[in-house]
Amino acid sequence: MFSRNNNILKVLPIITVVLLNVLNAQELHKKAAIEDRVNDLIVRMTLSEKIGQMQQSQMRGNKDNLRNAVRNGLIGSFLNAGDLEDKLEFQKIAVEESRLGIPLIYGRDVIHGYKTVFPIPLGQAATWHPELVETAASVAAAEASEAGIHWTFAPMVDISRDPRWGRIAESCGEDPLLASKMGAAMVRGFQGKSLADQNTIAACAKHYAGYGAAESGKDYNTTWIPERLLRDVYLVPFKGCVDAGTATLMSAFNDLNGIPASGNEFTLKTVLRDEWNFNGYVVSDWASITEMIAHGFAADEYEAAFKAAKSGVNMEMVTRSYANNLEKLVEDRKISEEWIDELVKGILRIKFKLGLFDNPFRLVTDNPETLSDKFRETAKKISVESLVLLQNNNMLPLADNIKTLAVIGPLADDAESQLGTWVPDGNPEDAVTPLAALREYAGNKINVLYSRGMETTRTKSKDGFDDAVETAERADAVIMFCGEDALLSGESHSRAYINLPGVQTDLIKAVARTGKPIALIIMAGRPLTFGEIKDDVNSILFAWHPGIMGGPAVVDVLFGKASPSGKLPVSFPRTVGQVPIYYSHKNTGRPPSEDQLGIEPGTPEDPKGFVSYFLDVDYTPAYPFGYGLSYTDFEYSDLKLSKHEIKMGDSLEISVTVSNTGSYAGEEVVQLYVRDLVGSVTRPVKELKSFKRINLLPGESKEVKFVLNTDDLKFWDINMNYTAEPGDFKLWVGGSSDAELETMFELE
Ligand code: GLC
């Protein structure tokens, strides 16, 4: 027998290695098993059955025709596949009546929750809390799989730097690192430890690639993205999702540098397959394949199918150019059957990974958790952390001695809007609005008065103003809920003006004339411009579209049960004329200085020098990326580096002390930025390289540490090599991208 300590310690490493090898072997065995099963199946399939797997249809129209198509192996997937009975019926036909019994895969837009609707993704990004975002995605996966869904068309990781674009709501903002962390967290949350687990669903990183760079923010518009910018910025979050193991991607609508994204060999084959070794599958976005005809990139469906298939789009969503042309493209020797096999194997691989061949109904029946209290608690927590306090002139948190509170505005009780865009399965009646939550919290302690003021955020009539003003007159304090209806946000909902729609600005000013203290909560699916009212209200809390628990979340923050901790994932312009405006911009040869600061919006002043600025607005954003206030104050000090000269391959330790110098407990997102001062190409003035959330009690200090390595300093250089270059770097740490605590280091 071993004498206690030393001999066991000696063999422990060996046991560990053996165990790891066994686990690894099991993993490898599973992978090999799947590859064997894929290869075994593909050789038994006819060309027609292979092309059938590449067809995704809607469960719409003549059901008998659809049944026959499935029976004949001509459809491999449905999106929006109706209720559970439909899904079970059609799956039964596929696995029991088709020749090879290949199961269907059901896809759905589960973008920010299924029934338990979370804040819109832009709001989730404002938490800067990947672990919490991952939990929310796992809740969405659990609920969606209970409904027989196998695959979600999320996360959307298009870098978005233009608030005119309605789909910025679905994005994770302007920064590649933050979007990459958030997208990867959502992929992990959706897919869990194994896709074969019944409460997980396949993820789909979209829209590949460059969709968020639509010219003028108009949806579906042209995008021009030089390869260096594509690789340094727009592709980064997709790489993050592929590295996190996303099962699928969705090819985008947009014309990318003259080659539509759904027929773009460079992105779909050279980058995605050859460089990133992706082996799942790509589904087209809706009709993006046949839309290549409208783009003028294909003369007809035959050519559109050719270009999409050749580039590497595995599955066609709703249109039928593959079904109608691929067989002939093979006969005409334009596409080889070997390449078709590769495309089909990507689809079969994911169906095997999902366990659909062994468990085609994959039903979670034992303990349905949809809309459980636990899931609602997650929704409330992520909603609280998404709230960004933009301004607070001594009003929040609300004092305990408030007797009468006036709740005013079109979004105080609009359950539909608070859910936000892309909630095909969310129910407004499951939402708790701010008004309902305030009344619940107030009980008989506080008298809550309510006046809508305007029917919707787009209302042009001021008929409701008198009632709103009278209501405010009777209160000690006023909480206003304004912003943007959810139907103004999302796909094909770009806006050329990004101010508060309707007569909301007038409503806020009318109520402000009562002299009552006002806390303004803005709900919207994008950054808005509202500088003209910031001096009329005490506090401004930006709530995005906060999901079903938005009401209770806002109430917790209003009354100080939680201190706001959200940080902006996107810059807020002062006026739409500044767009695009983002923090990691280039310096130009004529950067502006303090001399050009403080220009009143809209009042052209005397020219102030030949530099890059506007005559009629301050060149800085209204609120910068990474910005967000707390009820307490955080002080940064003792920024230290382990060394000030590093060599290639070295790592650099950074430490900073963060102190809570205020009187409330609070969470702070500590952000680390660097600037590469000189490069073989020009470099951004700042780049986010890391961030950490910490909580601090009043008076508490913590030392926060980061580790950077030279890989973190890489970019695509003048010769298009991905490399870090020697030279001087600035480094900042703080609670926003305009952090001032800085130091320097040199990369030798
Ligand atoms: C839409 C969207 C895409 C969505 C798909 C299916 O056009 O662009 O994001 O997943 O169609 O609904």
Side-chain angles (χ1 to χ4, degrees):
M1 261 307 281
F2 297 118
S3 61
R4 292 301 307 156
N5 301 336
N6 53 1
N7 290 8
I8 288 182
L9 286 180
K10 273 188 199 142
V11 297
L12 199 55
I14 300 166
I15 294 171
T16 310
V17 167
V18 167
L19 270 180
L20 282 176
N21 279 332
V22 166
L23 286 175
N24 211 351
Q26 278 172 344
E27 202 48 44
L28 287 174
H29 173 70
K30 260 195 290 183
K31 278 206 174 97
I34 285 180
E35 282 315 301
D36 291 345
R37 296 180 76 180
V38 167
N39 293 328
D40 162 65
L41 178 52
I42 195 83
V43 296
R44 290 185 283 125
M45 296 171 73
T46 64
L47 178 57
S48 163
E49 288 164 335
K50 292 171 185 175
I51 295 168
Q53 287 302 305
M54 301 167 78
Q55 176 67 51
Q56 178 183 65
S57 295
Q58 288 222 82
M59 206 174 272
R60 295 254 171 91
N62 183 305
K63 279 263 179 78
D64 280 341
N65 292 348
L66 291 174
R67 290 185 183 95
N68 288 332
V70 170
R71 197 168 285 121
N72 298 323
L74 303 179
I75 294 178
S77 171
F78 282 103
L79 79 154
N80 308 332
D83 52 21
L84 206 46
E85 295 78 74
D86 282 344
K87 295 190 185 92
L88 297 178
E89 182 208 346
F90 277 79
Q91 189 68 302
K92 200 165 180 320
I93 295 171
V95 298
E96 294 177 4
E97 299 177 35
S98 74
R99 189 176 76 86
L100 292 169
I102 299 173
L104 296 164
I105 182 167
Y106 291 125
R108 182 77 167 168
D109 289 290
V110 185
I111 308 302
H112 51 106
Y114 182 67
K115 293 290 181 190
T116 299
V117 177
F118 298 105
I120 53 173
L122 192 59
Q124 294 188 38
T127 67
W128 292 55
H129 196 167
E131 297 78 10
L132 183 53
V133 166
E134 179 177 339
T135 302
S138 69
V139 167
E143 294 191 343
S145 45
E146 276 178 30
I149 291 162
H150 309 134
W151 171 33
T152 177
F153 305 128
M156 189 271 222
V157 287
D158 299 311
I159 293 297
S160 310
R161 295 175 165 179
D162 191 329
R164 292 172 293 184
W165 190 47
R167 302 199 77 165
I168 193 169
E170 302 169 56
S171 81
C172 298
E174 72 182 50
D175 180 75
L177 180 85
L178 182 62
S180 188
K181 297 280 186 196
M182 290 294 154
M186 292 174 184
V187 168
R188 288 192 300 271
F190 290 134
Q191 301 191 162
K193 299 257 174 302
S194 161
L195 277 179
D197 293 345
Q198 290 204 163
N199 58 358
T200 63
I201 55 178
C204 179
K206 72 184 186 183
H207 306 77
Y208 191 67
Y211 182 33
E215 264 184 0
S216 76
K218 223 163 27 194
D219 207 353
Y220 317 117
N221 206 5
T222 308
T223 61
W224 290 101
I225 310 175
E227 186 184 342
R228 177 171 296 109
L229 180 62
L230 193 64
R231 287 182 177 278
D232 274 338
V233 174
Y234 289 89
L235 291 178
V236 171
F238 287 98
K239 179 71 166 54
C241 291
V242 167
D243 290 347
T246 184
T248 72
L249 282 87
M250 182 183 288
S251 65
F253 291 121
N254 53 294
D255 171 347
L256 174 59
N257 304 331
I259 303 171
S262 294
N264 194 306
E265 267 193 81
F266 172 69
T267 51
L268 288 163
K269 202 184 280 182
T270 307
V271 174
L272 185 60
R273 267 86 175 204
D274 299 349
E275 293 179 18
W276 297 353
N277 301 315
F278 173 70
N279 74 354
Y281 67 87
V282 176
V283 63
S284 67
D285 185 356
W286 209 258
S288 60
I289 293 177
T290 51
E291 285 176 14
M292 291 197 284
I293 299 167
H295 275 294
F297 186 64
D300 51 28
E301 291 205 0
Y302 178 88
E303 189 177 13
F306 167 62
K307 291 192 168 182
K310 182 165 167 284
S311 309
V313 178
N314 306 63
M315 185 185 282
E316 179 173 14
M317 184 185 284
V318 306
T319 48
R320 299 179 53 76
S321 68
Y322 279 11
N324 298 335
N325 295 283
L326 277 184
E327 203 138 357
K328 183 153 179 3
L329 281 161
V330 172
E331 280 159 27
D332 296 350
R333 307 176 72 77
K334 300 272 285 181
I335 297 263
S336 70
E337 185 154 1
E338 288 68 32
W339 180 240
I340 297 286
D341 288 356
E342 282 312 302
L343 295 176
V344 175
K345 283 159 77 171
I347 297 168
L348 298 177
R349 194 169 290 123
I350 300 307
K351 290 187 173 183
F352 276 113
K353 283 185 177 176
L354 276 163
L356 286 171
F357 284 87
D358 309 319
N359 175 14
F361 300 104
R362 222 170 165 272
L363 272 189
V364 179
T365 49
D366 36 4
N367 63 335
E369 294 185 271
T370 295
L371 278 169
S372 66
D373 289 346
K374 186 178 132 207
F375 287 0
R376 276 186 178 275
E377 203 39 49
T378 300
K380 179 180 166 186
K381 180 169 169 51
I382 197 167
S383 188
V384 166
E385 294 194 13
S386 73
L387 302 177
V388 183
L389 185 62
L390 298 176
Q391 175 181 302
N392 190 23
N393 301 338
N394 312 317
M395 181 175 176
L396 297 181
L398 292 171
D400 293 339
N401 60 357
I402 284 185
K403 290 284 169 278
T404 305
L405 201 55
V407 177
I408 296 172
L411 294 180
D413 199 35
D414 181 342
E416 183 105 27
S417 273
Q418 96 182 41
L419 297 187
T421 184
W422 279 113
V423 280
D425 300 293
N427 297 319
E429 52 273 18
D430 293 327
V432 183
T433 65
L435 178 64
L438 278 164
R439 284 177 167 153
E440 163 79 18
Y441 177 85
N444 51 21
K445 292 194 311 285
I446 302 171
N447 179 17
V448 175
L449 311 176
Y450 171 55
S451 174
R452 199 173 179 105
M454 301 163 58
E455 189 45 39
T456 77
T457 66
R458 286 157 290 131
T459 300
K460 292 188 175 51
S461 151
K462 299 185 180 182
D463 294 352
F465 280 28
D466 290 350
D467 183 64
V469 169
E470 281 155 31
T471 304
E473 296 282 14
R474 292 162 45 207
D476 304 320
V478 182
I479 314 289
M480 295 192 78
F481 292 86
C482 296
E484 189 178 57
D485 291 7
L487 66 77
L488 295 179
S489 166
E491 183 173 353
S492 79
H493 294 162
S494 295
R495 290 178 61 201
Y497 297 88
I498 54 172
N499 53 358
L500 292 168
V503 290
Q504 295 183 90
T505 297
D506 299 322
L507 175 65
I508 293 165
K509 287 186 176 296
V511 172
R513 281 193 286 275
T514 66
K516 301 287 181 180
I518 301 173
L520 171 64
I521 285 80
I522 298 177
M523 291 189 193
R526 73 182 88 217
L528 296 178
T529 51
F530 42 84
E532 61 273 42
I533 53 91
K534 68 179 174 42
D535 298 330
D536 295 298
V537 301
N538 296 60
S539 307
I540 302 175
L541 185 70
F542 206 85
W544 315 100
H545 285 127
I548 63 167
M549 294 301 279
V554 165
V555 166
D556 272 14
V557 166
L558 286 177
F559 288 94
K561 282 175 73 179
S563 178
S565 60
K567 299 283 186 180
L568 295 180
V570 62
S571 307
F572 274 47
R574 295 173 189 277
T575 173
V576 70
Q578 286 182 304
V579 172
I581 183 168
Y582 50 95
Y583 87 92
S584 61
H585 58 81
K586 298 298 186 72
N587 202 36
T588 78
R590 296 201 177 187
S593 66
E594 311 77 71
D595 300 348
Q596 289 79 34
L597 285 175
I599 296 174
E600 269 308 298
T603 51
E605 298 184 7
D606 296 347
K608 298 183 174 207
F610 292 82
V611 292
S612 179
Y613 82 113
F614 294 103
L615 288 177
D616 47 9
V617 73
D618 195 303
Y619 62 84
T620 60
Y623 306 98
F625 174 82
Y627 174 86
L629 299 175
S630 167
Y631 287 154
T632 195
D633 298 304
F634 297 106
E635 209 167 85
Y636 286 75
S637 59
D638 299 330
L639 173 57
K640 287 198 285 281
L641 304 184
S642 52
K643 45 196 168 190
H644 286 270
E645 287 85 34
I646 58 172
K647 294 186 172 43
M648 285 303 171
D650 275 3
S651 57
L652 179 65
E653 284 154 35
I654 302 102
S655 73
V656 68
T657 299
V658 187
S659 306
N660 178 341
T661 56
S663 46
Y664 287 91
E667 305 236 333
E668 171 71 332
V669 179
V670 183
Q671 302 155 47
L672 179 107
Y673 297 87
V674 300
R675 178 182 180 179
D676 182 353
L677 292 178
V678 179
S680 59
V681 292
T682 56
R683 311 285 294 112
V685 295
K686 267 185 188 178
E687 293 178 287
L688 178 69
K689 291 298 176 187
S690 190
F691 57 90
K692 286 185 177 173
R693 275 184 78 94
I694 60 168
N695 50 49
L696 288 172
L697 296 171
E700 187 183 8
S701 291
K702 274 180 186 166
E703 188 185 36
V704 181
K705 292 181 188 283
F706 298 95
V707 178
L708 275 190
N709 55 54
T710 48
D711 283 353
D712 296 318
L713 306 175
K714 286 185 174 180
F715 64 100
W716 291 82
D717 73 2
I718 193 159
N719 301 312
M720 285 308 286
N721 297 316
Y722 187 54
T723 179
E725 293 178 346
D728 291 336
F729 288 77
K730 270 191 180 177
L731 183 146
W732 295 264
V733 179
S736 170
S737 60
D738 58 3
E740 286 167 358
L741 187 58
E742 71 172 72
T743 184
M744 299 273 295
F745 68 90
E746 183 191 356
L747 172 57
E748 289 162 358

